[in-house]
Amino acid sequence: MKSLAFAAVVVSWFVAAPAWAHKPSDAHLRLAVDDDAITGRLDIAVRDLDGALGLDADGNGQITWAELTTSGPRIADYVERRLVLGADGTACQQHLGQAELAELSDGAYWAIPLSATCTHKPTSLDVTYSLLFDIDSMHRGLAHVAEQTVIIRDARPVRVTLDDATSFRSFVKEGVWHIWMGIDHIMFLLCLVLPAVFQRRTQRWTAADSLRDVCKEVFETVTAFTLAHSITLVISAVGLVTLPSRFVETAIALSVVAAALNNLLRTIDARWAVAFALGLLHGFGFSSVLIDLGLPSHELIGALLGFNLGVELGQAAIVLALLPVLFWIRRTIAYQALLWAGSGTVAIIATLWSYQRCFT
């Protein structure tokens, strides 16, 4: 068991620390299978348990060791009701061990050892995980089973086939989800695509005539963005280059400001160059998602490939949905308002993000 001094420092740290931009609420479920026995550990952030169960009894904004240990039975009951393990459709008999504090990269976690005995050696595990979703729809349960990582986003039961390629599909979905839920990445992509239907001719700007030419330009821009963020995603995820999260998230917000201002000033017509230069920053942001998952080294390549593929599919869906609409309205006042007022609004919002991520 950790010392009381360590516990007090670690538990109170998460309250004083600023929220990490882009850092979702995660819990880690690590399981190993040996014949008919399952062993493992569930790590839940103390801040999340406080949100679900109200651990701060005196309301002073800090969770003390005494408050945490006093709430131990309530935490165990909460976990037992919301985490059920099974083997091939048959429930296993579970048991929770003595919990203790664990310090992960983003704060204090309540680490609960667990074991389960099944009626037979499983070929697949059934995981019903429903912690925290009712108070945080963005919560993720990260189930590390054998040599796979499965990302659980809702309370529906998940079946993990042992020795299967479930992880790759899971990371493809996570890449798509990250793009669709990452408002800063979406705004950056929109700022790159918006001007494509309004092109320079001699010294004048006018609506594009050819959808084919527009698609060609957008393809070059999106490809440059893809190449750039893929480079930094890989070198960051494998540990060749690591940058502080605060710096990366602030720089990503500033990249959105730069892309929006370029739409207003039209300083650089070659948007593929803008996409490549600023896309390098976004790759570091994408890699932080994979790093947060705590992947073992043998999963890293599959996770990188799956996640990056998901990112490309997610952004391709956005572009394919947006581009025909922009081309259709390119000669209207609505498009001019969207281009100029929209880009100005994005620049202001992203400037506020930059300040918040850097100084709060």
Side-chain angles (χ1 to χ4, degrees), residues 140-143 149-153 158 170-171 173-174 293:
R140 302 183 302 186
L142 307 176
T149 297
V150 178
I151 302 166
I152 304 173
R153 289 197 172 274
V158 173
S170 182
F171 286 114
K173 294 178 182 178
E174 184 67 12
L293 297 182

Side-chain angles (χ1 to χ4, degrees), residues 211-292:
L211 179 59
R212 180 179 179 180
D213 291 343
V214 170
C215 291
K216 180 176 180 294
E217 181 179 346
V218 170
F219 177 78
E220 292 173 350
T221 302
V222 173
T223 299
F225 178 55
T226 296
L227 179 61
H229 74 63
S230 297
I231 292 172
T232 47
L233 168 62
V234 172
I235 66 174
S236 178
V238 301
L240 293 178
V241 177
T242 56
L243 297 175
S245 176
R246 183 185 295 271
F247 171 83
V248 171
E249 298 303 334
T250 302
I252 287 175
L254 290 173
S255 76
V256 179
V257 176
L261 290 179
N262 191 56
N263 287 352
L264 299 175
L265 304 176
R266 304 306 288 257
T267 304
I268 304 174
D269 290 340
R271 281 190 303 284
W272 67 266
V274 175
F276 184 85
L278 300 180
L280 293 170
L281 297 171
H282 288 248
F284 286 107
F286 293 149
S287 71
S288 68
V289 178
L290 293 179
I291 293 172
D292 287 340

Side-chain angles (χ1 to χ4, degrees), residues 54-319:
L55 307 184
D56 186 12
D58 56 13
N60 67 349
Q62 293 186 343
I63 310 300
T64 65
W65 177 249
E67 289 171 332
L68 195 54
T69 52
T70 299
S71 300
R74 284 200 299 139
I75 297 174
D77 180 66
Y78 178 73
V79 171
E80 287 176 343
R81 287 186 289 107
R82 294 176 177 245
L83 175 63
V84 178
L85 302 179
D88 306 310
T90 302
C92 300
Q93 186 174 358
Q94 297 177 202
H95 174 72
L96 301 183
Q98 181 66 43
E100 62 179 25
L101 276 176
E103 184 179 9
L104 303 187
S105 63
D106 59 327
Y109 279 67
W110 193 234
I112 307 172
L114 58 87
S115 60
T117 303
C118 305
T119 58
H120 61 282
K121 182 178 181 179
T123 58
S124 65
L125 290 185
D126 302 309
V127 180
T128 302
Y129 175 99
S130 58
L131 284 77
L132 301 168
F133 293 125
D134 53 339
I135 64 169
D136 184 358
S137 61
M138 299 295 290
H139 176 71
R140 302 183 302 186
L142 307 176
H144 308 280
V145 182
E147 297 187 355
Q148 305 174 51
T149 297
V150 178
I151 302 166
I152 304 173
R153 289 197 172 274
D154 55 48
R156 290 176 295 181
V158 173
R159 173 159 292 185
V160 183
T161 302
L162 303 181
D163 300 324
D164 191 19
T166 307
S167 278
F168 182 81
R169 296 193 298 271
S170 182
F171 286 114
V172 172
K173 294 178 182 178
E174 184 67 12
V176 173
W177 181 263
H178 185 71
I179 278 290
W180 287 355
M181 299 305 295
I183 187 64
D184 48 2
H185 298 304
I186 291 177
M187 284 189 172
F188 180 74
L189 189 61
L190 294 181
C191 285
L192 294 177
V193 174
L194 262 178
V197 298
F198 196 63
Q199 301 172 341
R200 185 193 292 273
R201 294 180 183 171
T202 63
Q203 298 301 313
R204 297 174 60 249
W205 292 97
T206 185
D209 291 328
S210 170
L211 179 59
R212 180 179 179 180
D213 291 343
V214 170
C215 291
K216 180 176 180 294
E217 181 179 346
V218 170
F219 177 78
E220 292 173 350
T221 302
V222 173
T223 299
F225 178 55
T226 296
L227 179 61
H229 74 63
S230 297
I231 292 172
T232 47
L233 168 62
V234 172
I235 66 174
S236 178
V238 301
L240 293 178
V241 177
T242 56
L243 297 175
S245 176
R246 183 185 295 271
F247 171 83
V248 171
E249 298 303 334
T250 302
I252 287 175
L254 290 173
S255 76
V256 179
V257 176
L261 290 179
N262 191 56
N263 287 352
L264 299 175
L265 304 176
R266 304 306 288 257
T267 304
I268 304 174
D269 290 340
R271 281 190 303 284
W272 67 266
V274 175
F276 184 85
L278 300 180
L280 293 170
L281 297 171
H282 288 248
F284 286 107
F286 293 149
S287 71
S288 68
V289 178
L290 293 179
I291 293 172
D292 287 340
L293 297 182
L295 299 173
S297 58
H298 64 266
E299 279 195 73
L300 191 55
I301 294 178
L304 280 170
L305 292 175
F307 184 80
N308 208 37
L309 176 59
V311 167
E312 308 321 318
L313 292 174
Q315 69 183 21
I318 294 172
V319 172

Side-chain angles (χ1 to χ4, degrees), residues 328-360:
W328 182 53
I329 67 170
R330 70 194 186 283
R331 302 184 192 278
T332 66
I333 295 177
Y335 171 74
Q336 295 297 323
L338 183 62
L339 176 61
W340 305 113
S343 295
T345 301
V346 168
I348 293 171
I349 293 173
T351 299
L352 294 175
W353 286 343
S354 304
Y355 175 82
Q356 292 171 347
R357 295 178 182 185
C358 185
F359 297 108
T360 62

